[in-house]
């Protein structure tokens, strides 16, 4: 009788060369296990159980450090993993997380976060487990087919879009140094993080070359990287946006009045000129000036809260372009959306009505001899 106390023992080596063994009470069980090992080795499907014993918390930390992603994305991933994923599932082994565990996690996190955020962050969780599968730490992806909360409609509410009169009021009331930010957003569709990172080398004769966005930590003295790649873009990638003559005049006026400040080797238009105000403004620090401008302009809701966010100016650009007949794929490219689907979801309902044209076309095609409607 073997020392292990079992009649049948299968000894094998894992891909790294380390020896393992597993014992069975009956010979058919041992034979089946040995046959499966041989098959999996042949097919490249072999999984060493010990590779899946790492905790999800430890694996997430290791996984995150291997990702080549923008600073903002890294921060979003890290905070979600730390605040939500690790407290719920971090103590489990990677190989031990089951489909039902993911379902329970989604249900729990859905009580704390918006449906759109949950759906977005679950892409991260899926990516983590898919990597674990590729690394042969587990056999399957436990997030597969997990039902996610239904997203709210992405379509922008027309009440979130300021009028031309309100755009001009905001530009008039905001701190003079930031007047140009209003028109870069409303006239070129830049995100506020891209606007604040605007530099002299972005200006061309009849278009803007948007190259970068400001880091969320750019106002801090200890920030090492004040400018980061554009959203959904890699380092060095850019997008070009048409430059209307009025905006070119606004940029020239800003440069005459304020000039530029050299920051991180770039000629920046919106760096603070006063001591103690931080090295660069960020979307967060800029919000104070934007809110104050709305209040001073009287653009507030009945309860006194702000009626718009800086992103509303970007909505103004997109909606104005679309209702004027500019093709949505062009607007999508200028906005820097990852996919035209995003543009359609957000702004598709603002396109000029085509009902009458459709009725006329279908009537002519299917009943060409009938009187026109």
């Amino acid at each position: 009788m073997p020392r292990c106390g079992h009649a049948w023992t299968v000894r094998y080596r894992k891909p790294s060369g380390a020896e393992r063994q597993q014992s069975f009470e009956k010979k058919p069980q041992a034979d089946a296990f040995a046959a499966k090992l041989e098959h999996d080795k042949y097919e490249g499907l072999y999984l060493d159980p010990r590779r899946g014993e790492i905790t999800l918390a430890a694996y997430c930390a290791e996984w995150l450090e291997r990702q080549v992603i923008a600073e903002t994305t890294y921060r979003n991933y890290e905070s979600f993993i730390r605040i939500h994923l690790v407290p719920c599932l971090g103590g489990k082994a990677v190989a031990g997380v089951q489909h039902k565990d993911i379902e329970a996690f989604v249900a729990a996190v859905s009580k704390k976060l918006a449906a759109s955020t949950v759906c977005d962050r679950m892409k991260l969780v899926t990516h983590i487990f898919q990597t674990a599968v590729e690394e042969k730490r587990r056999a399957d992806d436990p997030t597969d087919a997990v039902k996610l909360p239904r997203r709210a409609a992405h379509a922008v509410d027309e009440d979130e879009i300021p009028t031309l009169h309100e755009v001009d009021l905001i530009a008039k009331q905001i701190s003079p140094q930031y007047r140009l930010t209003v028109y870069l957003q409303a006239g070129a569709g830049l995100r506020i993080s891209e606007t604040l990172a605007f530099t002299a080398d972005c200006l061309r004769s009849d278009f803007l070359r948007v190259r970068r966005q400001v880091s969320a930590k750019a106002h801090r003295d200890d920030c090492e990287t004040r400018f980061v790649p554009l959203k959904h873009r890699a380092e060095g990638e850019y997008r070009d946006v048409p430059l209307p003559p009025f905006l070119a005049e606004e940029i020239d006026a800003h440069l005459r009045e304020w000039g530029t400040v050299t920051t991180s080797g770039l000629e920046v238009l919106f760096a603070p000129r006063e001591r103690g105000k931080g090295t660069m403004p960020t979307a967060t620090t800029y919000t104070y000036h934007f809110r104050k401008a709305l209040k001073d302009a009287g653009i507030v809701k009945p309860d006194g809260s702000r009626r718009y966010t800086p992103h509303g100016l970007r909505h103004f650009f997109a909606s104005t372009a679309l209702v004027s007949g500019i093709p949505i794929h062009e607007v999508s490219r200028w906005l820097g959306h990852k996919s035209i689907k995003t543009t359609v979801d957000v702004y598709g309902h603002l396109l000029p009505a085509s009902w009458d044209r459709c009725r006329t076309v279908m009537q002519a095609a299917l009943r060409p001899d009938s009187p026109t409607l």
Side-chain angles (χ1 to χ4, degrees):
M1 180 71 68
R3 287 181 297 170
C4 63
H6 294 283
W8 305 97
T9 299
V10 178
R11 293 182 176 85
Y12 58 96
R13 290 184 182 277
K14 65 179 187 177
S16 64
E19 185 175 318
R20 294 282 184 267
Q21 70 178 40
Q22 189 161 337
S23 299
F24 301 87
E25 294 182 358
K26 298 180 180 180
K27 184 177 184 299
Q29 294 173 331
D31 288 342
F33 180 74
K36 184 177 187 304
L37 282 178
E38 289 303 318
H39 174 269
D40 288 351
K41 287 180 180 179
Y42 179 78
E43 296 291 339
L45 302 175
Y46 174 77
L47 294 177
D48 178 8
R50 295 195 179 187
R51 285 183 58 76
E53 292 176 358
I54 183 174
T55 65
L56 183 60
Y59 184 67
C60 285
E62 174 192 311
W63 178 90
L64 189 58
E65 290 306 315
R66 289 187 277 143
Q67 305 310 301
V68 181
I69 50 181
E71 178 186 347
T72 302
T73 304
Y74 179 94
R75 188 171 60 255
N76 289 338
Y77 284 4
E78 188 279 331
S79 64
F80 179 79
I81 291 171
R82 172 172 45 83
I83 297 172
H84 300 288
L85 186 59
V86 167
C88 189
L89 298 175
K92 287 182 171 289
V94 168
V97 178
Q98 301 179 40
H99 186 272
K100 65 179 182 179
D101 296 324
I102 299 297
E103 288 182 325
F105 172 68
V106 170
V109 79
S110 295
K111 297 177 182 178
K112 303 175 183 178
L113 302 175
S116 59
T117 302
V118 174
C119 293
D120 181 68
R121 293 297 182 267
M122 281 306 297
K123 294 177 183 177
L124 160 65
V125 179
T126 294
H127 193 180
I128 291 172
F129 280 107
Q130 287 179 344
T131 304
V133 172
E134 292 170 2
E135 295 177 349
K136 294 183 170 54
R137 294 183 181 273
R138 59 176 296 131
D140 59 359
D141 172 11
T143 69
D144 186 38
V146 169
K147 187 176 182 180
L148 299 178
R150 187 173 182 177
R151 290 172 177 262
H154 283 295
V156 63
D157 187 334
E158 293 183 55
D159 288 341
E160 298 174 9
I161 307 174
T163 64
L164 172 59
H165 175 67
E166 289 172 325
V167 170
D168 287 335
L169 273 179
I170 296 170
K172 181 178 180 180
Q173 294 297 332
I174 203 166
S175 300
Q177 181 188 341
Y178 288 126
R179 171 187 168 89
L180 178 59
T181 65
V182 175
Y183 291 119
L184 283 172
Q185 293 175 85
L190 273 60
R191 298 178 176 93
I192 183 56
S193 57
E194 298 167 346
T195 299
L196 296 174
F198 194 86
T199 54
D201 65 335
C202 295
L203 183 61
R204 297 292 191 274
S205 59
D206 57 355
F207 66 91
L208 300 178
R209 177 153 290 175
V210 188
R211 293 182 173 276
R212 57 190 73 86
Q213 62 182 354
V214 71
S215 164
K217 300 179 181 179
H219 62 291
R220 292 168 40 172
D221 291 335
D222 61 351
C223 179
E224 296 181 0
T225 306
R226 303 197 186 282
F227 302 99
V228 296
L230 297 175
K231 188 175 182 179
H232 307 311
R233 299 293 185 271
E235 182 73 39
E237 292 186 337
Y238 59 84
R239 73 175 188 274
D240 293 336
V241 183
L243 175 64
F246 95 90
L247 185 54
E249 294 172 2
E250 289 285 347
I251 294 173
D252 288 342
H254 179 95
L255 290 172
R256 288 195 302 270
E257 177 71 20
W258 301 97
T260 61
V261 174
T262 302
T263 301
S264 299
L266 298 170
E267 296 300 311
V268 182
L269 273 65
F270 300 112
R273 271 66 172 177
E274 302 175 34
R275 290 182 177 274
K277 294 295 184 180
T279 303
M280 278 293 297
T282 66
T284 301
T285 61
Y286 174 84
T287 298
Y288 163 79
H289 298 279
F290 191 81
R291 284 177 174 171
K292 185 175 185 300
L294 292 179
K295 183 178 180 180
D296 292 346
I299 306 175
V300 294
K301 296 179 181 179
D303 62 0
S305 62
R306 61 179 179 176
R307 184 172 295 278
Y308 306 115
T309 66
H311 207 70
L313 298 172
R314 185 168 149 90
H315 291 328
F316 176 89
F317 169 83
S319 60
T320 301
L322 290 172
V323 299
S324 299
I326 295 178
I328 195 166
H329 69 275
E330 296 280 7
V331 177
S332 181
R333 183 169 70 249
W334 298 335
L335 289 171
H337 282 164
K338 186 176 183 180
S339 164
I340 190 173
K341 181 180 182 302
T342 301
T343 318
V344 173
D345 288 345
V346 177
Y347 300 110
H349 63 297
L350 300 179
L351 292 171
S354 303
W355 292 51
D356 289 339
R357 185 167 69 246
C358 180
R359 279 192 286 263
T360 301
V361 168
M362 291 299 102
Q363 178 70 16
L366 298 173
R367 296 290 184 272
D369 297 330
S370 299
T372 303
L373 294 175

